[in-house]
Amino acid sequence: MLFPIEVKQSFWGTKFIYDRQTLENPLALQIPLLQLRDTEVNVEYLTFKKQRKTGQIVSLISTGFSLYTIFNREKISNGAYWGVLGGTVLISGYLNIKSNMHLSKAIKRYNEVISENRVGLIFDKSFDNQAILGVGVSHSF
């Protein structure tokens, strides 16, 4: 059974509540989001993961460049250093903002899909081989 995901924003960061459990890492939402098997949720969440990973790689490259500059000060000019550092900060910030937008879309769609009213039919046989047709309605309150 899938439960709704609640998002709590605070000064210290974002927390996610799923099945009465508080999660601080959005990657912990992968299982319920992908279990829904909704194409839109899957695309948005996987885009979030890809952009987040790309942002981490950009930050790692920036860190490597900074370390290289520390040990080779005479080879890199101040302008080049600050240009690369500023560029990576901008790229990393942009990717973080975009990835969080994709995560928000995935969670919003997930919550919409699991809270919809559902009507279902079931066809079964009784113990004496008589046909039974059942109708069920599911509604979230």
Side-chain angles (χ1 to χ4, degrees):
M1 178 174 188
L2 297 172
F3 299 96
I5 298 170
E6 186 178 345
V7 180
K8 295 279 187 178
Q9 300 277 350
S10 70
F11 179 74
W12 304 109
T14 305
K15 293 185 181 186
F16 306 94
I17 300 172
Y18 178 76
D19 190 22
R20 296 176 295 185
Q21 296 181 9
T22 302
L23 308 168
E24 293 185 7
N25 190 341
L27 296 175
L29 298 172
Q30 179 171 346
I31 293 172
L33 287 172
L34 296 181
Q35 273 185 341
L36 185 62
R37 297 179 201 258
D38 182 74
T39 306
E40 187 178 335
V41 172
N42 289 353
V43 167
E44 293 293 342
Y45 185 74
L46 295 175
T47 303
F48 155 75
K49 280 183 60 174
K50 187 187 317 177
Q51 287 182 344
R52 183 176 169 138
K53 178 71 88 180
T54 304
Q56 290 172 340
I57 290 170
V58 167
S59 295
L60 185 63
I61 290 169
S62 172
T63 303
F65 182 74
S66 293
L67 288 174
Y68 176 79
T69 304
I70 288 172
F71 294 115
N72 299 298
R73 292 179 189 218
E74 65 280 348
K75 293 181 182 178
I76 306 293
S77 69
N78 278 346
Y81 173 76
W82 289 110
V84 169
L85 190 64
T88 55
V89 166
L90 288 175
I91 292 169
S92 182
Y94 172 78
L95 288 172
N96 283 334
I97 290 169
K98 288 296 286 181
S99 68
N100 286 332
M101 289 172 59
H102 285 288
L103 178 64
S104 295
K105 287 179 185 177
I107 291 172
K108 181 181 176 188
R109 171 72 179 159
Y110 170 88
N111 285 334
E112 287 173 357
V113 170
I114 66 164
S115 66
E116 291 177 347
N117 294 336
R118 294 192 175 106
V119 177
L121 294 173
I122 188 168
F123 181 75
D124 203 1
K125 291 184 180 180
S126 68
F127 63 92
D128 58 352
N129 286 335
Q130 291 183 352
I132 300 174
L133 179 64
V135 177
V137 177
S138 172
H139 177 72
S140 298
F141 293 97

